[in-house]
Amino acid sequence: MKLDPFLTSARFVKGVGPGKFKILNQLGIYNLKDLLYYFPYRYEDRRRLKKIKDLKEGRPQSFEAEILAKGSRRARNKLSIFQMALGDEGGRINAVWFNQPYLKDNFKVGERLIIYGKILKRNGLQVINPEYELIPEDEAPEDTLHTKRIVPIYGLSKGISQRVLRKISFNAVNEFAEVLEDNLPENLKKRYGFININKAINDIHFPESNDSVIAARKRLIYEEFFGLQLVMASKKHNDKYVRTGIEFSFKKPLVDDFIKKLPFELTQAQKKVIAEIRDDLIKPRSMRRLLQGDVGSGKTVVALISALYALSAGYQAALMAPTEVLAEQHYRTFKRLMKGFKISIGLLISQRKKKEKSELIDKIKNHKIDIIIGTHALIQESVVFKKLGLVIIDEQHKFGVIQRDILFKKGQNPDMLIMTATPIPRTLTYSIYGDLDVSVIDELPSGRKKITTWWVTKKKIDGAYDFIKQEIKKGRQAYIVYPLVEKSKKLELKAAKEMYEHLKKDIFSKYKVGLLHGQMKADEKDKVMLKFKNNKIDILISTIVIEVGIDVANASVMLIEHAERFGLSQLHQLRGRIGRGPYESYCILVSSALNDVAKRRLGIMSKVSSGFKIAEEDLMIRGPGEFFGLRQHGFNDLKIADLIKDEAVLKKARKDAFDLFREPEFIESSAHKKLFKYYIKPFI
């Protein structure tokens, strides 16, 4: 029997009726492949049956016993209780089930069964809501699914139990695992000693031993990464050999002149990255490059130099940022650095007046604007470029793939530079951006000093306020950051508006205090930021709106209230707003957090300054699905592989997948068609 596991509905599996199918849908199970690849998340070894007299209190254990008596009753709270007295030649134990009155019809006195559950001592031995298995006279494999074996434990949804899902999985594996086609190339299976797919699927669900679980996981983890990397390798191949791009020819010494006039020296890391981008721009293919750099590493200057390369070849450049605050910051920075050059720079954001926007859009269309900076407003249908050569996406994880593609399609295969100030762990880079070339600015500009970070409890907040006053007396400025704009009825958290009034009146009455938050209008935000930048505000009370977009060299202190409410990467981004000048800088994390995760996060922030190290730690704490706070990247669909624990396997799978696409004859081969159909096509 030949079948397509992507097209065969899970309804074909024995035990899956219409009601169960809807419940399986809640678990992401629709077709046969979904069900076969819905793996257990752990196992319980229930092979070792004990005598009742040898059972240990407090541990889950398995034992075989005879039903001596049974009965049902109702407690005072109307709770249904079903109870059985069980015994063997050495002892007795009571098994109790709550709110399962139907069980009384499942058992007969004198029958033998296997029980698995946690043993308690309450007027003798007792086991509450245990798993069970009746022992039939002629035992079949499915008769011992739940005990007397290594038992799979699955993630559940409301309306389905472990027993039911285990039985459905058994039916699926028993009927369909053997007919699955093994699509992994033979040379890779031999190289790594992998078992075939049929045995791997069988053993991952219903293993005979711990070794069989290990062998199945080894095969399935590799294959999951291999399939993902084939998608990346295919995309990169298409970009390189199929998608013809612009072959830039730089006719003017614009970039050299600009670099000479910079008021600072570029770091070696910046120079290296600029060279990588320049090499891409002169090639006749569309550049797809990810630029990673820690907070304050100088990505903006690299982006501007990249744009100038495009301009010197006669093209336009566009930079899209996720917020108006950040777009405006880039616009001001570009204008300041380009002073004295005859370069036209425009800012397109939704807050601009209709007439101004219309005039700007007309200038873009007629190439009277060289560099256009904006937000989502850039992807409006009315925005047409005369000659778009370079697209720059900043803080890329805040945009969807479709949004990026819309801007890309406004040119004839323009080059694309994707930037992020959130350092991305290598495993995520391989998995999310494996089709891109990667550049890393891993060096901070000279003069940047390490930021001293303290974690203090709320009891020491007055001391923190005194420290801020001392810094202001030295001529410095400070941020105080809160997680909320306004006080919440549900959360007992301080909020920016409320604390602004309190701090301004009671704590910092002798100082100039400002307020900034996301609910303010753009022009109001601009006025506040400009005042702070010009040192007309000593202390800026803010929400995370300052995470990006404000660059004030004189700010030397940041106090973050309820620091446990922020993720590691977000805390690092916030902290990056200070330490931008020649002064010693300090970040004070205020939290009386008691849970282990919060303690771990705050401990890391107090000791670690590298954004890349923090990103690795953040990934380990939150997992890949929450790293960006998005669910659009595909790594959320990993069924068995772990990006952190299995990094070595990921590297092997990546190399193997990319090596295939380096073979000239591979694209036209039957092997490519087979791999494309099974691994690549479902994801494109």
Side-chain angles (χ1 to χ4, degrees):
M1 174 184 174
K2 199 168 184 179
L3 54 83
D4 187 333
F6 290 101
L7 299 178
T8 305
S9 172
R11 283 282 283 109
F12 282 84
V13 176
K14 183 180 176 183
V16 182
K20 290 288 186 295
F21 185 63
K22 288 182 180 178
I23 295 171
L24 291 179
N25 292 169
Q26 294 172 19
L27 295 171
I29 299 171
Y30 296 90
N31 57 47
L32 181 58
K33 185 174 186 293
D34 294 334
L35 184 52
L36 292 174
Y37 281 74
Y38 191 75
F39 301 134
Y41 69 90
R42 66 180 178 89
Y43 303 87
E44 290 176 355
D45 193 340
R46 303 179 184 177
R47 292 174 294 180
R48 297 174 181 84
L49 299 180
K50 291 195 171 188
K51 297 294 183 183
I52 292 175
K53 65 182 178 62
D54 296 325
L55 294 173
K56 303 294 183 184
E57 182 185 2
R59 299 181 194 169
Q61 292 149 91
S62 296
F63 62 94
E64 184 178 337
E66 180 183 345
I67 301 173
L68 304 177
K70 65 172 186 170
S72 298
R73 62 187 174 86
R74 287 210 176 262
R76 291 179 181 176
N77 58 4
K78 297 185 179 180
L79 186 72
S80 166
I81 300 173
F82 173 65
Q83 186 170 336
M84 292 198 303
L86 307 172
D88 63 13
E89 60 273 21
R92 290 181 56 145
I93 188 171
N94 287 327
V96 181
W97 287 267
F98 296 105
N99 276 340
Q100 299 182 59
Y102 57 87
L103 287 179
K104 68 179 187 296
D105 300 322
N106 289 5
F107 304 102
K108 296 177 182 177
V109 173
E111 287 183 318
R112 296 190 66 79
L113 74 168
I114 296 170
I115 290 282
Y116 176 83
K118 187 175 181 180
I119 308 302
L120 304 173
K121 268 193 177 179
R122 293 176 183 170
N123 298 322
L125 293 180
Q126 198 174 81
V127 59
I128 307 294
N129 290 330
E131 295 216 32
Y132 62 88
E133 209 55 92
L134 284 166
I135 302 174
E137 292 181 10
D138 298 316
E139 201 170 80
E142 62 267 30
D143 292 328
T144 54
L145 282 183
H146 315 294
T147 56
K148 214 174 177 180
R149 67 176 305 137
I150 297 175
V151 176
I153 307 297
Y154 298 92
L156 299 176
S157 180
K158 188 177 180 181
I160 195 165
S161 67
Q162 285 289 346
R163 292 176 64 84
V164 171
L165 184 53
R166 203 174 289 137
K167 189 68 179 285
I168 289 171
S169 295
F170 177 84
N171 292 337
V173 170
N174 192 45
E175 187 174 356
F176 296 106
E178 283 302 315
V179 297
L180 282 178
E181 188 176 356
D182 201 331
N183 295 285
L184 200 62
E186 286 296 326
N187 66 317
L188 294 178
K189 285 192 286 186
K190 289 178 182 176
R191 181 187 303 170
Y192 298 116
F194 290 142
I195 58 176
N196 65 45
I197 190 61
N198 319 102
K199 183 168 176 54
I201 291 294
N202 182 82
D203 289 356
I204 201 68
H205 286 281
F206 301 101
E208 293 182 358
S209 67
N210 292 328
D211 287 343
S212 60
V213 174
I214 291 169
R217 284 181 57 82
K218 181 181 174 184
R219 154 76 196 238
L220 293 166
I221 288 170
Y222 174 89
E223 184 169 19
E224 189 161 45
F225 281 143
F226 180 70
L228 180 59
Q229 292 306 314
L230 278 176
V231 174
M232 299 297 175
S234 177
K235 287 173 69 177
K236 191 163 187 175
H237 175 272
N238 288 338
D239 284 343
K240 188 172 183 179
Y241 296 105
V242 178
R243 183 179 284 159
T244 303
I246 301 165
E247 190 172 357
F248 286 92
S249 177
F250 312 126
K251 300 173 183 177
K252 303 173 185 176
L254 177 60
V255 173
D256 292 340
D257 290 346
F258 173 75
I259 292 174
K260 286 176 186 176
K261 291 183 180 180
L262 279 173
F264 50 82
E265 177 75 16
L266 294 172
T267 64
Q268 290 304 312
Q270 286 174 310
K271 291 175 182 177
K272 178 177 175 290
V273 167
I274 290 166
E276 290 170 344
I277 293 170
R278 185 184 185 281
D279 288 347
D280 276 353
L281 293 174
I282 62 178
K283 291 175 183 175
R285 68 177 180 89
S286 187
M287 176 178 75
R288 293 290 183 279
R289 185 166 288 277
L290 173 68
L291 173 58
Q292 292 190 62
D294 211 339
V295 177
S297 61
K299 294 181 302 300
T300 303
V301 173
V302 172
L304 177 51
I305 290 172
S306 303
L308 295 181
Y309 274 126
L311 268 56
S312 70
Y315 289 86
Q316 294 169 289
L319 188 157
M320 186 164 70
T323 66
E324 294 193 354
V325 171
L326 187 53
E328 290 164 1
Q329 173 78 17
H330 283 314
Y331 175 71
R332 287 193 293 268
T333 301
F334 277 31
K335 291 285 282 188
R336 174 170 51 83
L337 292 175
M338 292 307 301
K339 193 172 182 179
F341 290 85
K342 293 182 179 180
I343 300 297
S344 176
I345 304 172
L347 177 66
L348 185 61
I349 54 177
S350 58
Q351 292 294 327
R352 298 199 72 162
K353 293 179 180 178
K354 190 173 181 180
K355 184 180 179 182
E356 290 178 340
K357 285 171 71 174
S358 179
E359 290 174 354
L360 189 58
I361 288 170
D362 188 61
K363 286 181 180 179
I364 295 169
K365 184 177 181 180
N366 295 303
H367 202 160
K368 291 180 180 178
I369 295 288
D370 299 307
I371 301 174
I372 182 66
I373 299 167
T375 55
H376 300 76
L378 289 176
I379 64 176
Q380 295 174 118
E381 193 174 337
S382 58
V383 179
V384 178
F385 290 83
K386 178 77 171 180
K387 202 175 182 183
L388 182 60
L390 176 67
V391 169
I392 303 169
I393 308 292
D394 195 18
E395 293 301 324
Q396 53 70 39
H397 59 277
K398 298 190 177 182
F399 291 103
V401 174
I402 294 173
Q403 292 168 320
R404 295 198 298 261
D405 282 350
I406 291 173
L407 183 55
F408 173 79
K409 288 174 182 176
K410 289 183 179 289
Q412 294 296 314
N413 287 341
D415 286 16
M416 184 177 286
L417 181 65
I418 297 172
M419 303 197 301
T420 178
T422 303
I424 305 168
R426 286 169 303 180
T427 50
L428 284 186
T429 302
Y430 292 152
S431 303
I432 310 167
Y433 307 110
D435 58 319
L436 305 178
D437 295 309
V438 180
S439 291
V440 178
I441 304 178
D442 53 6
E443 177 186 4
L444 292 178
S446 61
R448 289 295 298 267
K449 295 188 177 182
K450 183 180 177 181
I451 300 166
T452 301
T453 303
W454 298 310
W455 168 23
V456 301
T457 63
K458 293 175 185 176
K459 292 179 182 178
K460 296 184 178 181
I461 191 72
D462 290 338
Y465 291 155
D466 288 340
F467 183 79
I468 289 173
K469 291 174 183 176
Q470 291 171 25
E471 284 296 296
I472 295 172
K473 286 175 182 176
K474 293 178 186 176
R476 307 288 79 77
Q477 293 165 271
Y479 299 95
I480 299 180
V481 183
Y482 295 93
L484 302 177
V485 177
E486 296 181 286
K487 193 168 178 63
S488 168
K489 292 180 181 179
K490 296 181 180 179
L491 302 171
E492 293 185 12
L493 301 175
K494 294 176 183 176
K497 281 185 176 180
E498 170 199 22
M499 291 306 295
Y500 166 71
E501 296 297 339
H502 166 61
L503 294 174
K504 182 181 178 183
K505 179 182 176 183
D506 303 323
I507 307 296
F508 299 111
S509 58
K510 295 180 181 179
Y511 305 95
K512 294 166 287 185
V513 182
L515 175 65
L516 181 70
H517 57 77
Q519 293 178 5
M520 296 167 68
K521 292 180 180 179
D523 58 340
E524 292 176 327
K525 283 189 247 178
D526 274 344
K527 287 177 183 176
V528 174
M529 286 190 290
L530 194 59
K531 280 185 178 181
F532 190 60
K533 194 173 182 66
N534 294 333
N535 208 352
K536 293 180 180 178
I537 291 175
D538 298 313
I539 303 166
L540 184 60
I541 312 298
S542 177
T543 58
I544 59 168
V545 71
I546 61 156
E547 182 183 3
V548 291
I550 297 182
D551 188 356
V552 180
N554 192 49
S556 66
V557 187
M558 175 175 288
L559 185 149
I560 303 175
E561 282 260 31
H562 300 294
E564 78 280 357
R565 302 290 301 184
F566 302 93
L568 268 177
S569 292
Q570 196 169 47
L571 286 172
H572 183 64
Q573 290 283 326
L574 288 167
R575 182 170 63 180
R577 293 300 105 203
I578 58 175
R580 291 177 169 257
Y583 314 108
E584 295 290 339
S585 296
Y586 309 89
C587 180
I588 305 169
L589 307 173
V590 182
S591 174
S592 296
L594 297 176
N595 73 71
D596 291 339
V597 172
K599 287 180 180 178
R600 184 177 171 189
R601 260 204 310 256
L602 297 173
I604 290 166
M605 283 300 298
S606 302
K607 298 171 187 174
V608 180
S609 57
S610 164
F612 288 94
K613 176 63 177 171
I614 285 173
E616 294 282 352
E617 295 284 352
D618 203 13
L619 178 62
M620 292 180 71
I621 292 172
R622 290 197 285 162
E626 297 300 322
F627 185 79
F628 288 121
L630 301 174
R631 293 189 58 82
Q632 64 174 11
H633 292 296
F635 52 71
N636 300 289
D637 298 325
L638 292 177
K639 307 294 184 188
I640 193 168
D642 187 301
L643 286 171
I644 301 166
K645 296 177 183 176
D646 302 319
E647 182 178 356
V649 182
L650 172 57
K651 287 180 179 178
K652 287 179 185 176
R654 177 174 173 78
K655 182 180 183 302
D656 295 337
F658 276 74
D659 281 350
L660 283 175
F661 279 87
R662 292 188 183 100
E663 299 172 9
E665 67 278 5
F666 172 68
I667 298 301
E668 300 301 323
S669 69
S670 58
H672 174 256
K673 291 183 176 66
K674 182 178 180 181
L675 293 174
F676 181 86
K677 179 182 177 183
Y678 190 75
Y679 293 111
I680 303 172
K681 188 178 178 182
F683 297 97
I684 60 175

